[in-house]
Amino acid sequence: MCTLEKRGNLFILTLTGEDQHRFNPDLISSLLDLLSQVKAQATCGSVLITQAQGKFFSYGFDLDWAQAAGSERGAAKRLQHMADLFKPVIATLLSLPMPTIAAITGHAVAAGFTLALSHDYLIMRKDRGILWMPEVDIAVTLPDYINALFKEKIGDASVRRDLFLRGLKMKGDEAEKRGVVKAAYDGEAEVREASVCLAENLGKRKWHGEVYAEIRKGLYPQLSAILGLSHKVYAIARL
Amino acid sequence: MCSLEKRGNLFILILTGQNGEHRLNPNLFSSIISAISRAKAESTRGSALVTVSHGKFFCNGFDLDWVNAAGSDEETQKRFNLLLDYLKQLVLAFISLPMPTIAAVSGHATAGGVVVALCHDYVLMRRHRSVLYMIDLDLGIKIPEPFMALFRAKISGSARRDLLLRGLKIKGEEALKMGIVEAVYDGEEEVTNAGIKMADDLAKRTWHGDFYAEIRRGLYSELCDILGIASTPIATPKL
């Protein structure tokens, strides 16, 4: 389902397997667990890369599991349950004491796109894979923390409108042009290489992780508030 | 005043009256708000609305002749405040309409007229013979909070500053570059037809209006909070 690897200063979180990496309660729980481990082992100069195997980064919540509830109300409840379980994953990423990179080599859809967007940097494939919020098409509403994430991470109002109200399937080159991702590359290997390169450059700066996290929270105050992340006043004798 | 035409799944709101300037006074406001109510009442899956106008103006803002004909300073202020209230109601009506909305701006839009255009999910504009002009600064009129929230919701970055703080008469191409409008066309007929075609294309997505409006509410949460548009928790998604 997902694995954690340590390579020098780099933490590499991988969604494994050739499937859609749908977030069901088990996978969400594993993700949270691994991210907690990352947090516990963080040092100056640590960086996280989140990546996935196969054609999908993640296709979002496990709708099959939701529908297996047997009724419309049951499905809605299960969806709500997954949205509630997923919130701490986003909170952990937002408060992770190190720079974070999402290496998107496949489709990132709904909660999958949300996971990617919760990272400081997004690197994507140009030739394959889309970013997509299909909620308008499947008639599902978005939890407040996802609305806040997109609002504070994506500055361009037209982009947010296109993603949410038009259900736009955004490819790599458009995502790069419109500022949704940092860069887009042709090919899976290129994306992974660029992510590692960026991670190494960021790691070299040996930033103080707690300070990094606090500054990050300050960039996204509404989201941080919704996620229940408090602001710490931090003073260190490093000047 | 205005008329509402139904063409299949499309609602076409046509701004008329008041010497072709379509200036906003209590009559036109009531007319528009009532037309939106009708569209809301008759909406189904796959509805869409496009607002069009004919002639030199899309909407030339508040009917200041009517305001100034009040007879006393106090009455003048009262009339102006009444128009502000109406404008707020109009924004509320459009922002909570359970279907995609498009403004086909084929003539000039000034002050309140710009607000009317921006209430729509998408704005199309004429390349020439059409400007967006927030005249408020030049006239020494403050912009009340609900409308500031609309600008914050819909326009990003330096475009917002340029629209509000530079007294610019923004032509089609510039509006396109600033991200205020989606596309520009030559000629009134082209804009109108493009608006109808876009409405048609969006209607074909057969979105559920309630969900569409709720996603829009999440997208523009600050504006909706100010307007008092509450989140309507929708029980069951249509998975």
Side-chain angles (χ1 to χ4, degrees):
Chain A
M1 282 207 301
C2 57
T3 59
L4 182 65
E5 193 194 318
K6 190 130 192 286
R7 241 188 261 169
N9 271 344
L10 244 60
F11 291 94
I12 302 181
L13 177 61
T14 308
L15 296 161
T16 55
E18 302 293 310
D19 60 314
Q20 292 185 342
H21 313 134
R22 290 258 184 188
F23 298 139
N24 55 36
D26 286 338
L27 179 53
I28 296 173
S29 181
S30 299
L31 273 174
L32 194 56
D33 194 46
L34 292 182
L35 284 171
S36 302
Q37 285 181 40
V38 171
K39 185 173 181 180
Q41 298 172 41
T43 58
C44 270
S46 293
V47 182
L48 169 76
I49 298 178
T50 300
Q51 61 174 20
Q53 293 170 344
K55 269 169 49 188
F56 299 88
F57 183 78
S58 165
Y59 223 72
F61 292 142
D62 191 341
L63 299 182
D64 286 344
W65 181 77
Q67 283 183 303
S71 68
E72 265 193 3
R73 292 225 82 210
K77 269 191 160 176
R78 284 194 172 192
L79 252 190
Q80 184 60 52
H81 180 57
M82 286 188 283
D84 290 340
L85 284 179
F86 195 58
K87 191 170 167 182
V89 172
I90 306 305
T92 307
L93 276 169
L94 254 294
S95 55
L96 208 66
M98 64 186 70
T100 57
I101 301 164
I104 307 162
T105 50
H107 304 304
V109 178
F113 185 179
T114 303
L115 181 71
L117 195 61
S118 302
H119 292 69
D120 298 319
Y121 302 93
L122 280 66
I123 299 185
M124 190 174 167
R125 256 182 103 155
K126 212 181 275 191
D127 54 331
R128 286 219 190 141
I130 52 161
L131 304 174
W132 183 28
M133 293 303 278
E135 281 76 4
V136 70
D137 289 329
I138 58 172
V140 170
T141 57
L142 292 155
D144 57 357
Y145 66 89
I146 295 187
N147 279 322
L149 175 74
F150 276 78
K151 178 159 189 198
E152 291 193 312
K153 286 270 194 162
I154 299 179
D156 191 324
S158 306
V159 174
R160 291 197 308 268
R161 188 264 334 264
D162 284 348
L163 288 173
F164 278 33
L165 286 184
R166 215 197 301 227
L168 178 67
K169 291 177 184 176
M170 195 178 268
K171 287 191 186 157
D173 43 11
E174 186 179 0
E176 185 184 55
K177 200 168 72 160
R178 297 181 83 181
V180 178
V181 304
K182 179 181 194 297
Y185 298 89
D186 283 308
E188 181 182 308
E190 284 77 356
V191 171
R192 299 205 196 284
E193 204 180 295
S195 304
V196 170
C197 188
L198 175 61
E200 281 170 356
N201 283 334
L202 294 171
K204 269 188 208 132
R205 305 292 292 274
K206 294 256 181 261
W207 289 315
H208 192 278
E210 291 289 338
V211 173
Y212 187 90
E214 285 306 306
I215 295 174
R216 187 203 280 124
K217 278 189 258 175
L219 276 183
Y220 311 118
Q222 280 170 35
L223 174 62
S224 299
I226 289 174
L227 293 173
L229 300 173
S230 59
H231 223 27
K232 270 184 271 184
V233 174
Y234 221 92
I236 46 162
R238 219 190 125 191
L239 297 168
Chain B
M1 293 299 96
C2 79
S3 59
L4 186 70
E5 209 183 288
K6 188 117 195 282
R7 234 186 262 180
N9 271 344
L10 300 192
F11 293 94
I12 304 176
L13 176 66
I14 308 170
L15 301 174
T16 57
Q18 228 274 344
N19 302 324
E21 289 191 25
H22 319 139
R23 282 215 181 232
L24 299 160
N25 54 32
N27 283 337
L28 180 53
F29 269 126
S30 301
S31 189
I32 295 174
I33 290 166
S34 142
I36 299 297
S37 295
R38 251 175 57 217
K40 185 173 184 177
E42 294 173 31
S43 71
T44 59
R45 262 190 86 173
S47 291
L49 178 130
V50 55
T51 300
V52 304
S53 65
H54 301 297
K56 209 168 148 196
F57 293 92
F58 176 74
C59 174
N60 207 17
F62 283 178
D63 187 346
L64 296 178
D65 286 345
W66 177 79
V67 170
N68 289 323
S72 71
D73 279 349
E74 202 190 324
E75 278 306 312
T76 300
Q77 187 61 56
K78 270 192 174 168
R79 285 193 175 192
F80 191 78
N81 290 342
L82 181 63
L83 294 187
L84 284 175
D85 274 338
Y86 267 118
L87 186 59
K88 189 174 165 187
Q89 278 180 58
L90 184 150
V91 174
L92 200 156
F94 270 105
I95 295 286
S96 49
L97 192 61
M99 65 184 75
T101 56
I102 300 154
V105 178
S106 56
H108 303 305
T110 313
V114 176
V115 171
V116 172
L118 287 179
C119 283
H120 295 71
D121 297 324
Y122 304 91
V123 182
L124 307 179
M125 194 169 165
R126 201 172 157 180
R127 184 174 272 119
H128 306 293
R129 306 234 185 141
S130 176
V131 300
L132 306 175
Y133 180 23
M134 284 304 292
I135 195 178
D136 308 61
L137 182 60
D138 287 336
L139 290 184
I141 299 173
K142 289 190 253 194
I143 303 172
E145 192 41 45
F147 314 116
M148 287 306 293
L150 177 70
F151 292 116
R152 287 196 298 270
K154 297 282 192 139
I155 306 178
S156 341
S158 55
R160 205 191 300 154
R161 175 209 57 212
D162 286 349
L163 178 66
L164 299 174
L165 285 181
R166 286 180 70 178
L168 286 177
K169 291 180 182 169
I170 300 168
K171 289 188 187 163
E173 290 288 357
E174 193 59 33
L176 181 65
K177 248 194 287 180
M178 287 164 79
I180 300 173
V181 308
E182 287 314 292
V184 291
Y185 301 87
D186 293 309
E188 180 185 300
E189 216 180 299
E190 282 83 344
V191 181
T192 305
N193 289 339
I196 292 172
K197 172 154 197 313
M198 186 177 198
D200 213 34
D201 289 342
L202 294 175
K204 285 200 181 97
R205 304 284 291 270
T206 57
W207 290 317
H208 289 267
D210 290 343
F211 286 90
Y212 186 87
E214 184 58 21
I215 290 173
R216 190 202 276 128
R217 198 238 166 266
L219 183 61
Y220 304 130
S221 55
E222 192 212 356
L223 172 64
C224 291
D225 284 343
I226 290 172
L227 291 173
I229 300 175
S231 187
T232 39
I234 305 175
T236 51
K238 318 265 180 276
L239 292 175

